[in-house]
Amino acid sequence: MEKLYTASVTAKGGRDGHIKSSDGIIEFDLRKPKELGGQGGATNPEQLFAAAWGACYLGALGTIAQHEGVDTSEATVEVHVSFNQDGNSYVLSAELDVHIPGITIEEAQSIADKAHRTCPYSKATKGNISTRVTAL
């Protein structure tokens, strides 16, 4: 495996803390959401994970669609990352709602599934969290 890029972010204080990337482009506070008993008012790890996964997933979707001659320049994915309690532990789950204008739902679902199999974030979570991918 050839390492092409490494992101480096320092986190301090956990869910009610602060993060900063090594290049200084990302730097902000984190807050536990109100739904988890926090004060809210700032981003949280689930939002950051959903944002990163969505961006990566659309890259994979574009690559797959290009090979199939489908334009995905207007495609969107809405990523829902949920924080769940499972007995005495916590687990994540995810739902990816994919919209590819100009093709049928069946065609979109096929491309969405292929993108899910190739996206590095999807691969990283495979077998680790419950994930649903649905073309809308």
Side-chain angles (χ1 to χ4, degrees):
M1 178 168 58
E2 178 186 358
K3 194 178 292 185
L4 300 176
Y5 170 75
T6 300
S8 180
V9 175
T10 300
K12 182 177 179 181
R15 290 182 168 276
D16 286 310
H18 189 84
I19 60 173
K20 182 178 181 180
S21 62
S22 60
D23 61 8
I25 292 174
I26 294 175
E27 183 174 10
F28 47 83
D29 292 331
L30 300 173
R31 293 291 174 259
K32 188 184 299 183
K34 290 180 181 182
E35 296 85 348
L36 296 178
Q39 69 183 33
T43 195
N44 61 66
E46 289 71 37
Q47 289 174 329
L48 295 171
F49 187 60
W53 194 350
C56 185
Y57 178 85
L58 282 178
L61 185 83
T63 298
I64 296 296
Q66 183 179 11
H67 290 316
E68 298 193 12
V70 174
D71 177 17
T72 56
S73 59
E74 296 298 317
T76 60
V77 61
E78 189 171 311
V79 181
H80 306 270
V81 173
S82 299
F83 186 85
N84 310 289
Q85 187 163 3
D86 185 18
N88 291 329
S89 67
Y90 298 105
V91 297
L92 298 177
S93 63
E95 299 172 357
L96 284 71
D97 294 330
V98 183
H99 177 65
I100 306 172
I103 62 174
T104 68
I105 292 292
E106 294 78 18
E107 291 169 318
Q109 188 66 56
S110 174
I111 293 170
D113 290 339
K114 290 175 186 174
H116 185 54
R117 288 192 296 272
T118 61
C119 169
Y121 276 73
S122 296
K123 287 180 184 180
T125 59
K126 185 178 179 180
N128 295 311
I129 71 172
S130 173
T131 304
R132 174 192 54 75
V133 177
T134 304
L136 305 175

